[in-house]
Amino acid sequence: MSEHNADAYRVMALYWISRFGWLRSREIGQLLLATPVTLDGVPHTGPAIDDAQRKFTHRVLHRLLADKQIIPRLLPKSAGTAYVLSAAGARYLAKQDSTLRPRAGDTWGRSVAGVWSAPNSWEHELLCCILLIYFHQSGYKILTEVELRAQNPRMIKYPDGFVIDTRGTAPKVFWVEVESATKKGRKMMRLAQYLTMVQRGDAPVMSGIKADKAFVAFRTDILDTSGARIDHLNRVKAALSRHIGAPLRLAFFEVSVRNAQYHLDAVVRRVETVFPIGADDPNVHKLFTCTRTGLYQCDRFDIHGRRWLLQVSIIHDHYSWQIFDPHGKETRSYVDRSKESCFRYVVDTFNTEFYERPLSDVEIASFAQAATVQ
């Protein structure tokens, strides 16, 4: 490898580290040498690919470390070493390409008395890296969460990345959600809301791009604090069923790794149809959560992604139900002797009268203005 080529590969390594925030040598090697070849130009196969990438990346990283352009960070659980940009590395990369705005990664994680420790989110970030690089190697373009956050400040929610399929006449953009922890409450509700919005064609515009579809990826062997396996597939489906008003098809990617060093083993795609919990469903009461004041409340999203509040309350010896629109205004109410009847009627009323309710002129103007700002 000539000195000119060596410099080019070092810049490329800094470039990819800046896009993800941090990377291990394994992922850097996959990005620098997607298909390594022998001295005779013959592509390596099998385990020889990993060995060639490892040796090549070692030489590139050794020079970057000597020039103090990257900082090594030891990850927990024998997951290897992460590399982030130093201030010098960020400055050097910016000089090579004036369009880039790289940031030093020396604030990633935390240091106490000179001892560095990884952030709690490191495993989630690593899984995102592995998955996006998998799609990159498969011929797709990618945008990382780091890039989306830098280019689109003050958004309510960010995906874990975009995967862009440029094959065909029109590119297809996929909103990526990677699940690695037990989301609960408002976080799970927001996930369900945005997955529904994207699948229904109402994704927010980011970096001048509007996602066409979404998919959820997860590891199949993640355990919670009690040691039980987290069933991400059914948890996400259950959250969606509580918020959608019509069946929704969504792709899921099951990711498996083969050792403690997080080497990707397989990615399996499956498409699931999620059905809403309807008024005649025996589990309709599970849509509602009881507040400390005794109110039963349920958030439902209409076809436009707007959030409505369904509420059931007890008044002396009978019950009442109310529906509040996205602006908090009560739009429908009724009184009944049975709590179960209230659950069923309020859900049925929302599905039949409000789920497909057209946008008002004010809402259309507001959505158009938000899209222009983004």
Side-chain angles (χ1 to χ4, degrees), residues 68-142:
K68 298 183 179 180
Q69 293 178 342
I70 57 174
I71 304 171
R73 300 298 196 192
L74 187 62
L75 296 172
K77 300 183 179 180
S78 302
T81 300
Y83 296 93
V84 300
L85 293 186
S86 66
R91 288 194 300 269
Y92 178 77
L93 181 59
K95 288 181 180 179
Q96 307 307 307
D97 189 338
S98 60
T99 64
L100 299 177
R101 296 291 183 269
R103 298 180 180 180
D106 50 2
T107 59
W108 182 64
R110 62 183 184 274
S111 295
V112 178
V115 179
W116 182 87
S117 58
N120 294 332
S121 60
W122 74 270
E123 285 186 278
H124 175 265
E125 295 171 21
L126 178 55
L127 186 58
C128 293
C129 290
I130 291 172
L131 187 70
L132 290 177
I133 292 172
Y134 165 82
F135 281 104
H136 175 75
Q137 291 183 304
S138 302
Y140 296 87
K141 293 185 177 181
I142 59 172

Side-chain angles (χ1 to χ4, degrees), residues 103 147-156 158 373-374:
R103 298 180 180 180
E147 294 174 299
L148 292 171
R149 285 184 178 275
Q151 298 168 9
N152 307 273
R154 297 184 297 278
M155 300 293 288
I156 296 175
Y158 296 89
V373 171
Q374 293 172 3

Side-chain angles (χ1 to χ4, degrees), residues 200-214:
R200 303 295 195 211
D202 291 319
V205 177
M206 293 187 184
S207 301
I209 300 172
K210 181 178 180 181
D212 303 292
K213 294 293 181 182

Side-chain angles (χ1 to χ4, degrees), residues 233-248:
L233 174 65
N234 286 314
R235 283 179 58 84
V236 173
K237 289 176 62 177
L240 285 168
S241 68
R242 290 177 169 87
H243 296 292
I244 58 177
L248 183 80

Side-chain angles (χ1 to χ4, degrees), residues 19-319:
R19 289 190 62 181
F20 282 92
W22 63 273
L23 286 172
R24 304 180 306 172
S25 62
R26 180 178 182 82
E27 285 71 49
I28 295 172
Q30 292 170 344
L31 292 165
L32 297 184
L33 286 182
T35 308
V37 297
T38 66
L39 294 175
D40 299 324
V42 179
H44 285 291
T45 59
I49 294 178
D50 290 343
D51 187 56
Q53 289 174 339
R54 180 180 57 80
K55 291 179 180 178
F56 179 83
T57 308
H58 175 77
R59 294 196 297 270
V60 173
L61 294 177
H62 178 75
R63 178 63 182 272
L64 291 174
L65 287 168
D67 293 342
K68 298 183 179 180
Q69 293 178 342
I70 57 174
I71 304 171
R73 300 298 196 192
L74 187 62
L75 296 172
K77 300 183 179 180
S78 302
T81 300
Y83 296 93
V84 300
L85 293 186
S86 66
R91 288 194 300 269
Y92 178 77
L93 181 59
K95 288 181 180 179
Q96 307 307 307
D97 189 338
S98 60
T99 64
L100 299 177
R101 296 291 183 269
R103 298 180 180 180
D106 50 2
T107 59
W108 182 64
R110 62 183 184 274
S111 295
V112 178
V115 179
W116 182 87
S117 58
N120 294 332
S121 60
W122 74 270
E123 285 186 278
H124 175 265
E125 295 171 21
L126 178 55
L127 186 58
C128 293
C129 290
I130 291 172
L131 187 70
L132 290 177
I133 292 172
Y134 165 82
F135 281 104
H136 175 75
Q137 291 183 304
S138 302
Y140 296 87
K141 293 185 177 181
I142 59 172
L143 278 176
T144 69
E145 183 180 356
V146 171
E147 294 174 299
L148 292 171
R149 285 184 178 275
Q151 298 168 9
N152 307 273
R154 297 184 297 278
M155 300 293 288
I156 296 175
K157 177 170 172 53
Y158 296 89
D160 291 311
F162 278 168
V163 170
I164 306 170
D165 185 357
T166 57
R167 299 171 298 181
T169 56
K172 294 181 181 179
V173 181
F174 297 91
W175 175 293
V176 182
E177 289 289 344
V178 177
E179 291 300 288
S180 59
T182 51
K183 277 193 177 74
K184 297 180 181 179
R186 290 190 177 276
K187 288 185 178 180
M188 182 59 87
M189 182 193 75
R190 183 162 290 170
L191 172 65
Q193 176 188 4
Y194 272 77
L195 288 174
T196 303
M197 288 171 59
V198 175
Q199 290 298 92
R200 303 295 195 211
D202 291 319
V205 177
M206 293 187 184
S207 301
I209 300 172
K210 181 178 180 181
D212 303 292
K213 294 293 181 182
F215 68 75
V216 178
F218 58 91
R219 276 183 60 181
T220 56
D221 58 347
I222 293 292
L223 306 179
D224 61 19
T225 53
S226 66
R229 187 176 71 88
I230 302 175
D231 190 350
H232 287 296
L233 174 65
N234 286 314
R235 283 179 58 84
V236 173
K237 289 176 62 177
L240 285 168
S241 68
R242 290 177 169 87
H243 296 292
I244 58 177
L248 183 80
R249 284 175 61 81
L250 183 66
F252 292 85
F253 285 84
E254 299 177 350
V255 181
S256 57
V257 296
R258 64 175 179 263
N259 52 35
Q261 294 182 335
Y262 291 80
H263 291 180
L264 182 63
D265 189 28
V267 177
V268 179
R269 178 179 181 269
R270 58 190 293 178
V271 178
E272 297 278 336
T273 300
V274 184
F275 295 93
I277 295 179
D280 57 348
D281 193 298
N283 293 316
V284 67
H285 63 281
K286 292 183 179 180
L287 288 171
F288 295 80
T289 56
C290 185
T291 69
R292 293 180 179 179
T293 57
L295 296 175
Y296 293 89
Q297 295 182 330
C298 165
D299 290 313
R300 298 286 274 184
F301 295 94
D302 64 17
I303 197 171
H304 305 290
R306 298 173 299 181
R307 184 169 68 90
W308 296 66
L309 175 64
L310 280 54
Q311 182 172 282
V312 173
S313 57
I314 184 171
I315 305 176
H316 301 301
D317 60 344
H318 58 270
Y319 293 86

